[in-house]
Amino acid sequence: MGACILWGVNRMAQCVTKVQLSISCDNLMDKDIGSKSDPLCVVMQSVGDGKWAELTRTERIKNCQKPEFSTKPVLDYYFEKVQNLKFGVYDIDNKSFDLNDDDYLGGLECTLAQIVSSQKLTRPLELKKGKPAGKGSITIFAEEIKDTRIVIFEIEARNLDNKDFLGKSDPFLEFFKQGDDGSWQLVYRSEVIKNNLNPCWKKFSVPLHTFCSADFNKPIKVHCTDYDSDGSHDLIGTFETNLSQLQKASGSSPVEFDCIHPQKKQKKKSYKNSGIVRVKSCKIETEYSFLDFVMGGCQINFTVGIDFTGSNGDPKSQDSLHFISPNGVNEYLTALWCVGNVIQDYDTDKQFPAFGFGAQVPPTWQVSHEFALNFNSTNPYCLGVQGIVDAYRQALPQVRLYGPTNFSPIINHVSRFAVAAAQQGTASQYFVLLILTDGEITDLDLTRQAIVNASKLPMSIIIIGVGNADFKAMEFLDADNGVLKSATGEAAVRDIVQFVPFRQFKNAPKEALSQAVLAEVPKQLVTYFKLLGLTPLKPPQTTV
């Protein structure tokens, strides 16, 4: 739902068509010595001026030159807009999230309309315009999603064949649906369970549309396979079914399937099976979207925290990040306008609490890490984004920039409100904290703990880095390359931090910054309410 948030409530109705993309590649270049490439595909959308914002990335598949990715990006499709997309395929040989240190195996630039109108688009991969990436090609298959239901499975297996000479098989499952042309398309790939002939896979869900195009009698083929790290996986067995049959599974009576290896069956008359796959549970539930929650009455509460530490420089000096230019702007104000203008559409009373941190505040000149921007501690609310801007301009000459740069007090402050909202046990409120900072954070461990605590609450944190500081600590908090943990090792329940350096968007259109900053919020909101099993206050009328 990433793009939808940009249009505001008044344009929600236009955001109706969702398109799911299935991505596969063939003949990828081999960049690894002694093994095959480990490909991953990144999907990016143009934000203008030659800049691209990452929408999503697939899983990485080890040792494979013909990958079929099970991650299926879902995009909002606008008939009236040209949506330029870029698909980049990379060979991933490390754990870093940054792609600059990975080998590029080629890419494709096209529009979403081209994919939708072709339904199945196959194109050669290029290293750069006009330079082919060997014989590599990419195929993108588009389907419109009209159904918001999901299928939830619990599956185990018994007495699987042992395919390994030393140790036991490492089984995983792959589900394929049959297309109208008779071909089989991957819809889900499970995790690998090492060294186990009686595996029990993690509970998983697949959108109903992805799984069987919402056709309960559509043929489904299941492969049970022994994983090999060099990519030469061995088939244990296979079976065919459909959702009608799978649905009969319940806790007291699982549905069982013989796992059949075709060659073994041909060779041996006495052959029974290569193990049994047991579907313990198969349930269908409705998956609610960001718009379902917002249109169902969920309020998004917007809070702002602004960095007034000494490292920003004297506001009277033109070198200062807080210096307001003759035309009335600085980076802090520009970032505030970009993000605030979008978020304010989702809050009906337009009353936003705004705070400063890291300054000495009159009249006692005590250092404060959560002072009201309007200096009214009992009522720190500003009316609309303009109210925050006015309070900021008035506060600037009245405070003394100081330090240190502590984030945890303001995160804990907003968390207290989120705690109260969570106790209502309804999907009625969600909090977004925007922190504008020059990046020199001093209370990293306390901030990590505050974020881990906040990850259990209806709350997201957006950090915009202003200026040219080293933002390594901010990137660490963003945790895009793994789960954020507190200093004591407690892991965040969900990823709630989005960090963006303002300098990357200095010359881009205003929408580019708000899109990059707000892209994660809809997903984070949905994940929170789903985690708690909460439905929209007014669920949408279903037409299924």
Side-chain angles (χ1 to χ4, degrees):
M1 217 63 216
C4 258
I5 196 169
L6 296 175
W7 296 95
V9 176
N10 57 335
R11 294 196 60 180
M12 281 182 179
Q14 293 190 15
C15 200
V16 288
T17 308
K18 295 178 95 56
V19 172
Q20 174 185 276
L21 303 180
S22 300
I23 304 167
S24 59
C25 301
D26 201 0
N27 292 314
L28 290 180
M29 292 194 304
D30 215 347
K31 291 281 188 174
D32 290 353
I33 298 162
S35 67
K36 295 174 190 153
S37 292
D38 306 327
L40 164 155
C41 183
V42 179
V43 185
M44 289 169 279
Q45 186 160 11
S46 168
V47 290
D49 282 358
K51 291 188 168 62
W52 298 86
E54 181 176 325
L55 294 177
T56 187
R57 53 179 75 182
T58 67
E59 79 279 16
R60 160 188 179 236
I61 298 181
K62 285 188 78 176
N63 290 312
C64 187
Q65 285 171 281
K66 190 180 179 177
E68 187 173 3
F69 298 105
S70 64
T71 307
K72 296 179 185 291
V74 174
L75 277 62
D76 296 309
Y77 169 69
Y78 298 93
F79 175 74
E80 73 277 13
K81 275 200 329 186
V82 175
Q83 291 169 271
N84 289 304
L85 301 178
K86 185 194 276 186
F87 297 83
V89 184
Y90 292 83
D91 174 21
I92 309 291
D93 287 322
N94 55 44
K95 288 187 175 172
S96 119
F97 191 79
D98 187 2
L99 296 168
N100 290 324
D101 52 5
D102 298 301
D103 288 320
Y104 187 52
L105 301 178
L108 168 71
E109 283 185 39
C110 62
T111 65
L112 184 53
Q114 282 174 303
I115 300 169
V116 168
S117 57
S118 308
Q119 198 180 19
K120 188 175 183 180
L121 183 79
T122 301
R123 292 279 186 276
L125 288 166
E126 293 187 328
L127 293 172
K128 55 184 180 191
K129 227 168 184 50
K131 188 182 179 190
K135 292 180 179 172
S137 67
I138 185 166
T139 298
I140 304 150
F141 179 80
E143 288 180 281
E144 184 184 349
I145 294 181
K146 295 174 182 169
D147 199 311
T148 59
R149 291 172 293 174
I150 56 170
V151 200
I152 303 164
F153 288 102
E154 289 182 70
I155 299 180
E156 62 185 16
R158 292 284 174 267
N159 306 318
L160 295 178
D161 279 0
N162 194 5
K163 293 285 182 178
D164 291 349
F165 180 63
L166 296 167
K168 297 173 182 156
S169 294
D170 306 320
F172 67 97
L173 297 175
E174 288 179 307
F175 290 74
F176 301 83
K177 71 177 172 189
Q178 192 165 35
D180 296 336
D181 60 355
S183 64
W184 293 96
Q185 187 187 17
L186 178 71
V187 294
Y188 177 78
R189 181 184 290 118
S190 78
E191 80 277 18
V192 175
I193 295 185
K194 289 287 179 93
N195 213 27
N196 196 329
L197 301 180
N198 299 292
C200 184
W201 287 277
K202 281 181 201 155
K203 188 177 184 177
F204 65 93
S205 65
V206 188
L208 183 66
H209 185 91
T210 306
F211 190 73
C212 61
S213 306
D215 175 353
F216 285 48
N217 295 313
K218 186 179 270 292
I220 300 290
K221 186 160 70 171
V222 183
H223 284 186
C224 183
T225 308
D226 172 33
Y227 175 84
D228 283 318
S229 58
D230 65 359
S232 61
H233 314 310
D234 297 310
L235 181 70
I236 295 171
T238 181
F239 61 91
E240 279 190 37
T241 180
N242 59 40
L243 188 54
S244 289
Q245 203 174 355
L246 294 167
Q247 262 194 298
K248 292 172 186 165
S250 68
S252 53
S253 58
V255 176
E256 297 190 343
F257 297 93
D258 284 332
C259 220
I260 304 295
H261 193 291
Q263 286 156 328
K264 278 193 169 183
K265 191 180 178 183
Q266 274 183 339
K267 283 180 187 168
K268 278 188 188 172
K269 281 192 176 169
S270 61
Y271 174 78
K272 256 182 85 180
N273 60 43
S274 293
I276 290 171
V277 172
R278 304 175 79 221
V279 180
K280 294 195 292 180
S281 163
C282 170
K283 292 179 188 158
I284 294 174
E285 290 181 5
T286 299
E287 180 93 304
Y288 294 107
S289 71
F290 171 70
L291 284 190
D292 291 335
F293 285 107
V294 170
M295 295 171 95
C298 180
Q299 284 287 305
I300 295 183
N301 303 281
F302 181 44
T303 305
V304 178
I306 297 177
D307 183 339
F308 284 91
T309 54
S311 51
N312 283 280
D314 181 355
K316 296 188 195 74
S317 161
Q318 291 194 19
D319 300 333
S320 170
L321 293 167
H322 280 300
F323 176 76
I324 297 178
S325 69
N327 60 351
V329 295
N330 62 22
E331 287 190 14
Y332 277 98
L333 285 169
T334 306
L336 178 59
W337 270 117
C338 282
V339 179
N341 269 339
V342 175
I343 290 248
Q344 69 176 352
D345 278 345
Y346 294 88
D347 191 315
T348 46
D349 69 6
K350 307 282 183 283
Q351 293 285 342
F352 305 126
F355 301 92
F357 58 91
Q360 291 178 315
V361 182
T364 59
W365 303 109
Q366 285 283 99
V367 175
S368 173
H369 294 293
E370 46 174 319
F371 65 90
L373 217 50
N374 61 7
F375 298 115
N376 184 345
S377 55
T378 56
N379 183 12
Y381 293 86
C382 302
L383 181 57
V385 179
Q386 185 62 55
I388 303 172
V389 169
D390 294 342
Y392 166 75
R393 286 167 183 249
Q394 284 161 23
L396 207 49
Q398 295 186 61
V399 299
R400 292 177 190 156
L401 272 56
Y402 204 71
T405 311
N406 291 349
F407 280 14
S408 58
I410 198 161
I411 295 172
N412 291 331
H413 181 103
V414 176
S415 292
R416 287 194 288 276
F417 290 99
V419 165
Q423 285 166 350
Q424 294 173 16
T426 60
S428 58
Q429 292 192 74
Y430 195 83
F431 294 80
V432 176
L433 168 60
L434 170 65
I435 298 176
L436 302 168
T437 178
D438 74 342
E440 303 287 345
I441 186 168
T442 15
D443 66 338
L444 191 57
D445 284 354
L446 287 171
T447 295
R448 283 162 65 188
Q449 186 62 59
I451 292 169
V452 167
N453 295 343
S455 72
K456 303 166 197 161
L457 300 170
M459 181 171 165
S460 290
I461 300 166
I462 294 164
I463 304 171
I464 298 185
V466 176
N468 295 309
D470 175 2
F471 290 124
K472 284 234 171 4
M474 304 297 130
E475 285 160 4
F476 169 72
L477 295 175
D478 193 331
D480 270 341
N481 55 351
V483 179
L484 179 72
K485 290 184 178 170
S486 71
T488 57
E490 185 188 358
V493 175
R494 56 196 182 95
D495 177 14
I496 63 165
V497 177
Q498 177 75 347
F499 167 72
V500 174
F502 183 84
R503 59 177 173 247
Q504 286 182 5
F505 295 88
K506 254 186 172 168
N507 303 313
K510 283 198 174 94
E511 300 78 51
L513 175 66
S514 52
Q515 188 165 356
V517 164
L518 295 170
E520 301 291 320
V521 170
K523 192 166 68 183
Q524 290 167 357
L525 178 147
V526 169
T527 305
Y528 173 77
F529 290 130
K530 187 178 172 185
L531 216 56
L532 271 70
L534 296 175
T535 59
L537 293 175
K538 294 192 293 260
Q541 297 297 308
T542 50
T543 55
V544 291

